[in-house]
Amino acid sequence: MYQTSRRSKRLGVHEYCDSDYAGDRDTQRFTTGYVLFMANGPISWKSTRQTAVTLSTTEAEYYALTGAAREAAWLRGLLDDFGYQGDDIRPTLIHGDNQGSLSLAENPTHHQRSKHIDIQYHFIREEVGNNRVTLNYVPTNEMVADGLTKGFSATKHTDFVGQLRMKEQGDEEHIKEPPSRSPNTVL
């Protein structure tokens, strides 16, 4: 009933999230993106310009972590509804590339520089504190969600497609030619 990785009986649920800081030059809004993987493939992703203005890269990445945690919570609820009982979805692993935002989410003590952050964005702290989410640092060059927050050169786009475990449409190696038909063939 449940599709799992061929190498493992686990669903392998994990997520990457990223943000650009003030990427929209007109509004100074940031773009967040996340990619949620299950069974070695992306099953959910989002890229959106946020309505809030942030004061730092750390804050923008912290907001992205919250969005990713909300999506992970939705997936866990869906899998619960389907009757999935595996322990491999709790905690859900979320990868981020900003150490400051990861520290802010993992350390629930009062941070002088974060007291202005709206309470709704502290959802990530609750998820970490209740062991529903585990955070992991990955270097920016390994950040899968990076492709959802900014434009890329052709080479980087190809790398992004590979990180998503997708194939380029024009990749002849993986495309089968249709059978040849003679002009007299009746369909």
Side-chain angles (χ1 to χ4, degrees), residues 2-182:
Y2 302 103
Q3 180 76 24
T4 61
S5 167
R6 290 183 185 155
R7 295 181 213 144
S8 162
K9 298 291 184 191
R10 302 171 61 83
L11 292 177
V13 175
H14 63 281
E15 193 169 13
Y16 292 85
C17 72
D18 197 23
S19 176
D20 72 340
Y21 175 62
D24 184 327
R25 294 180 185 181
D26 295 330
T27 65
Q28 298 301 301
R29 300 295 196 264
F30 60 99
T31 302
T32 60
Y34 61 77
V35 181
L36 182 61
F37 284 83
M38 183 171 76
N40 282 335
I43 62 163
S44 178
W45 54 89
K46 183 177 184 179
S47 176
T48 187
R49 184 176 302 137
Q50 295 298 316
T51 57
V53 175
T54 60
L55 302 177
S56 69
T57 302
T58 295
E59 189 177 338
E61 297 274 355
Y62 185 74
Y63 287 18
L65 284 171
T66 294
R70 291 173 70 176
E71 187 70 4
W74 172 83
L75 178 63
R76 285 191 307 273
L78 180 67
L79 291 173
D80 284 345
D81 289 347
F82 288 159
Y84 182 73
Q85 300 296 318
D87 63 354
D88 58 323
I89 60 171
R90 287 183 181 81
T92 304
L93 180 62
I94 299 177
H95 304 281
D97 64 356
N98 182 283
Q99 292 182 1
S101 65
L102 297 173
S103 175
L104 187 60
E106 290 176 328
N107 186 355
T109 60
H110 178 71
H111 288 268
Q112 183 65 25
R113 293 184 178 171
S114 66
K115 64 183 180 181
H116 65 281
I117 295 175
D118 193 339
I119 194 73
Q120 69 176 329
Y121 294 106
H122 291 302
F123 175 77
I124 183 65
R125 281 188 186 169
E126 184 176 316
E127 292 293 282
V128 169
N130 290 326
N131 202 33
R132 291 187 288 255
V133 165
T134 301
L135 302 175
N136 179 56
Y137 172 76
V138 295
T140 300
N141 64 332
E142 296 175 20
M143 175 47 64
V144 175
D146 207 31
L148 299 173
T149 62
K150 57 188 71 71
F152 277 152
S153 67
T155 303
K156 285 196 172 197
H157 179 266
T158 300
D159 293 344
F160 173 60
V161 169
Q163 287 176 317
L164 293 176
R165 296 173 181 89
M166 299 170 66
K167 305 284 186 241
E168 289 283 351
Q169 187 173 357
D171 192 351
E172 291 81 20
E173 182 179 312
H174 302 286
I175 297 176
K176 293 182 180 178
E177 291 295 321
S180 61
R181 293 195 175 113
S182 69

